[in-house]
Amino acid sequence: MNKAKLITFEGIDGAGKSTHIPFVVDLLKAAGHTIVSTREPGGTELGEQLRTLLLREPMHLETEALLMFAARREHIDKVIAPALARGDWVISDRFTDASFAYQGGGRHLAIEKLEILEKWVHSHLQPDLTLLFDVPLEVARARLKASREPDKFEQEQNEFFANTRTEYLRRAAEFPARFKVIDSNQAITKIQEELREILQVIIDKTVINK
Ligand code: TYD
């Protein structure tokens, strides 16, 4: 049996990833997989408490990065690793690439420090596929304005998001084997078509044997 997959969704706030997660979950379920759908920061009881702090409270940028990885440590232990061990596929709304993009790109925390945390927290685990939803800054900002009350990150200025987006794209170029960059400034049906193609490849490679 091929091993279960970890698929992560990434993109700057307003890039539209949340719209596409249910579509991907349904697609994978239809292919016969059991899906655990989760998110970061969060995904566990403790992680959700850390999320509330992270999305509301101002804090030193290193505290922010450490708490993101603390929540992630718990998330891997309690949710991600057990699910993969059972053979379930895991869909995570954000993972470590978000720490590189937001804390590294957006807040200028040294990438080397993030690499140390990454090695500490999950040296043997990487997503099998990372879907990066990419849109021009203005589009993302306009979408956000139309939605609800902004959290701590969503209140950041354009420069922060420009740097976050640049770091996401830099990582996509650095790890082309697992990243798929999706132009999120297209009609939803067009994006769904693209997602269907990308996921079909990974589904076809997997033998379901439960
Ligand atoms: P988000 O995933 O956009 O959730 P929602 O759709 O409910 O707003 O919110 C999580 C925020 O946390 C987002 O602004 C990015 C930020 N974040 C980081 O800064 N670093 C991280 O490592 C993670 C996982 C998220």
Side-chain angles (χ1 to χ4, degrees):
M1 185 176 82
N2 275 317
K3 80 174 182 58
K5 308 288 184 215
L6 169 61
I7 301 176
T8 58
F9 282 66
E10 300 285 359
I12 59 171
D13 292 87
K17 65 184 169 50
S18 318
T19 310
H20 300 290
I21 291 176
F23 175 78
V24 169
V25 169
D26 287 348
L27 214 110
L28 294 172
K29 278 186 182 164
H33 296 290
T34 304
I35 307 299
V36 172
S37 186
T38 185
R39 70 170 181 183
E40 289 204 349
T44 64
E45 210 173 299
L46 176 62
E48 290 296 325
Q49 290 183 33
L50 292 171
R51 178 187 178 94
T52 303
L53 292 172
L54 281 160
L55 267 53
R56 282 191 198 155
E57 302 293 330
M59 59 184 77
H60 189 280
L61 84 164
E62 293 192 348
T63 310
E64 188 176 275
L66 289 163
L67 288 181
M68 289 291 179
F69 275 94
R72 184 163 297 132
R73 185 69 196 88
E74 199 65 17
H75 193 205
I76 291 169
D77 183 56
K78 298 281 187 317
V79 177
I80 299 178
L84 294 174
R86 286 194 303 270
D88 297 350
W89 285 33
V90 179
I91 302 282
S92 189
D93 184 348
R94 301 194 186 282
F95 194 61
T96 296
D97 295 304
S99 299
F100 281 93
Y102 280 78
Q103 282 65 55
R107 300 227 195 279
H108 307 297
L109 177 60
I111 296 296
E112 297 73 42
K113 289 191 175 173
L114 292 163
E115 284 170 346
I116 291 167
L117 291 175
E118 179 186 37
K119 207 176 256 176
W120 183 5
V121 169
H122 59 96
S123 53
H124 299 298
L125 177 73
Q126 281 298 337
D128 297 284
L129 172 67
T130 297
L131 298 167
L132 172 56
F133 292 83
D134 184 56
V135 274
L137 213 54
E138 316 77 64
V139 177
R141 300 308 276 165
R143 282 182 187 165
L144 271 187
K145 272 200 198 114
S147 75
R148 54 213 166 143
E149 193 68 15
D151 64 37
K152 190 181 84 182
F153 293 99
E154 291 163 352
Q155 287 170 26
E156 287 291 344
Q157 301 304 307
N158 285 351
E159 197 197 342
F160 174 90
F161 286 104
N163 292 334
T164 301
R165 182 183 180 208
T166 301
E167 178 59 18
Y168 265 136
L169 291 171
R170 194 192 64 74
R171 285 183 70 74
E174 190 179 352
F175 305 108
R178 75 173 164 91
F179 266 92
K180 292 281 179 208
V181 182
I182 292 158
D183 173 5
S184 199
N185 196 19
Q186 317 177 74
I188 289 182
T189 49
K190 207 72 191 87
I191 296 174
Q192 288 180 342
E193 231 171 83
E194 222 173 286
L195 286 171
R196 203 187 295 276
E197 270 173 37
I198 293 168
L199 289 158
Q200 200 56 51
V201 174
I202 192 166
I203 289 166
D204 287 347
K205 277 196 205 143
T206 311
V207 183
I208 299 167
N209 182 17
K210 285 198 172 178

